[in-house]
């Protein structure tokens, strides 16, 4: 091989090496960009999974009533159903206020207490091991010495999101025994600051398994919710009654 051929071969080898290095740099850069792009969505998806709902509060100021309401954000079935319930509750209250308040003002005057209609809706998210719940408490005042308070609780599976009934977690053949156990606990319940049971015995006696429509479950308790006056004097307002999970595991 002459001197000229050797020089040409050396030049070709150098060019090939430069091309190879350039290709390797391009591939490395492309892989790095792909990893960056893939990391961001996966982090967002994980965040959505761990925080399925978000709850804030906004003020209500209407011509004939005022108050506050929860704003429930999220696509989980419990969030969608809770939003629908809150919207309907506020609309129903507005319909009643728009009917009652103008007549009261005409009769008693603009500043009269009977014309002061108020609704306050507060929601909270409860994360359990197997369930997620949105517990919504509603307080309504339409005049008189006291207002009315009650709960609406929507519970779903933490894995599938499916809305659950209490019958989905209490065995069919144990529902009567569970009801009897809960009624016994209610009959002997003495809230803090009291020394004797406070429930209405005849009312508790008439409770059935289907009475327990509002419930949630956290890591330690199954909680049953009752409206004001449902099982006890109005002075106690609405009641959330916890049952330790280690006491009801058989059910």
């Amino acid at each position: 091989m002459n001197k000229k051929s050797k020089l040409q071969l050396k030049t070709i080898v150098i060019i090939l090496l430069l091309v190879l290095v350039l290709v390797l740099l391009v591939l490395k850069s492309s892989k790095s960009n792909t990893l960056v792009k893939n990391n961001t969505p996966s982090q967002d998806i994980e965040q959505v999974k761990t925080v399925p709902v978000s709850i804030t509060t906004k003020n209500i100021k209407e011509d004939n009533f005022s108050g506050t309401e929860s704003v429930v954000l999220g696509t989980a079935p419990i969030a969608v159903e809770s939003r629908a319930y809150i919207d309907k509750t506020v609309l129903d209250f507005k319909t009643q206020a728009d009917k009652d308040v103008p007549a009261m003002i005409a009769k008693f005057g603009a500043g009269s207490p009977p014309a002061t209609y108020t609704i306050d809706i507060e929601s909270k998210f409860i994360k359990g091991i197997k369930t997620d719940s949105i517990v919504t408490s509603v307080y309504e005042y339409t005049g008189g010495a006291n207002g009315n308070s009650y709960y609406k609780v929507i519970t779903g599976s933490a894995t599938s999101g499916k809305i659950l009934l209490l019958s989905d977690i209490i065995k069919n053949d144990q529902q009567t025994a569970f009801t009897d156990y809960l009624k016994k606990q209610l009959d002997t319940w003495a809230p803090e600051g009291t020394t004797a049971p406070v429930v209405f015995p005849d009312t508790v006696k008439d409770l059935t398994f289907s009475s327990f429509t509002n419930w949630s479950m956290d890591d330690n308790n199954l909680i049953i919710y009752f409206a004001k006056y449902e099982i006890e004097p109005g002075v106690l307002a609405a009641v959330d009654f916890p049952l330790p999970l280690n006491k009801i595991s058989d059910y």
Side-chain angles (χ1 to χ4, degrees):
M1 182 180 292
N2 58 34
K3 186 176 181 180
K4 184 177 179 180
S5 296
K6 289 181 178 180
L7 181 60
Q8 289 177 340
L9 180 60
K10 184 177 181 180
T11 302
I12 292 173
V13 170
I14 291 173
I15 292 173
L16 289 175
L17 287 173
L18 289 173
V19 170
L20 180 60
V21 170
L22 180 61
V23 169
L24 290 174
L25 288 173
V26 170
L27 289 176
K28 183 177 180 181
S29 175
S30 175
K31 183 178 180 181
S32 176
N33 288 337
T34 301
L35 288 173
V36 171
K37 290 180 180 179
N38 287 340
N39 280 343
T40 302
S42 65
Q43 290 170 354
D44 291 343
I45 291 172
E46 183 63 26
Q47 185 177 10
V48 171
K49 287 180 179 178
T50 55
V51 187
V53 297
S54 175
I55 302 174
T56 59
T57 303
K58 72 176 182 180
N59 293 324
I60 303 172
K61 186 60 179 177
E62 294 280 343
D63 291 339
N64 296 314
F65 73 99
S66 62
T68 58
E69 67 173 296
S70 295
V71 179
V72 179
L73 303 176
T75 58
I78 60 171
V80 174
E81 193 162 325
S82 293
R83 273 198 303 274
Y85 174 79
I86 291 170
D87 289 345
K88 184 179 185 304
T89 301
V90 173
L91 179 60
D92 289 346
F93 192 81
K94 173 178 167 59
T95 300
Q96 192 65 40
D98 288 346
K99 176 183 176 182
D100 296 345
V101 172
M104 292 180 181
I105 291 176
K107 183 175 181 179
F108 300 106
S112 62
T116 306
Y117 272 42
T118 304
I119 183 170
D120 289 303
I121 302 175
E122 181 179 353
S123 300
K124 65 178 179 179
F125 175 67
I126 294 180
K127 179 73 177 176
I129 297 176
K130 296 184 178 181
T131 63
D132 294 332
S133 299
I134 296 179
V135 179
T136 297
S137 61
V138 183
Y139 172 79
E140 297 178 348
Y141 179 78
T142 57
N146 299 293
N148 188 32
S149 58
Y150 53 94
Y151 286 105
K152 176 64 176 179
V153 184
I154 300 172
T155 297
S157 166
T159 53
S160 69
K162 176 187 175 183
I163 301 297
L164 300 174
L165 302 175
L166 189 59
S167 57
D168 292 317
I169 67 165
I170 301 296
K171 303 172 187 176
N172 289 336
D173 60 352
Q174 292 294 325
Q175 291 175 6
T176 299
F178 171 82
T179 301
D180 291 340
Y181 174 81
L182 175 53
K183 289 160 70 169
K184 181 178 179 180
Q185 301 309 304
L186 289 170
D187 280 331
T188 58
W189 172 51
E192 186 176 352
T194 63
T195 57
V198 294
V199 298
F200 302 134
D202 291 341
T203 301
V204 170
K205 181 181 178 181
D206 291 337
L207 292 175
T208 64
F209 185 79
S210 61
S211 303
F212 315 132
T213 56
N214 292 302
W215 62 277
S216 68
M217 188 164 59
D218 59 23
D219 295 350
N220 301 307
N221 298 292
L222 171 66
I223 306 162
I224 309 295
Y225 299 82
F226 298 96
K228 184 177 181 178
Y229 303 116
E230 186 176 358
I231 60 168
E232 68 339 302
V235 67
L236 294 179
V239 170
D240 53 322
F241 194 80
L243 296 169
L245 294 179
N246 59 5
K247 299 290 187 181
I248 59 172
S249 58
D250 289 344
Y251 306 123

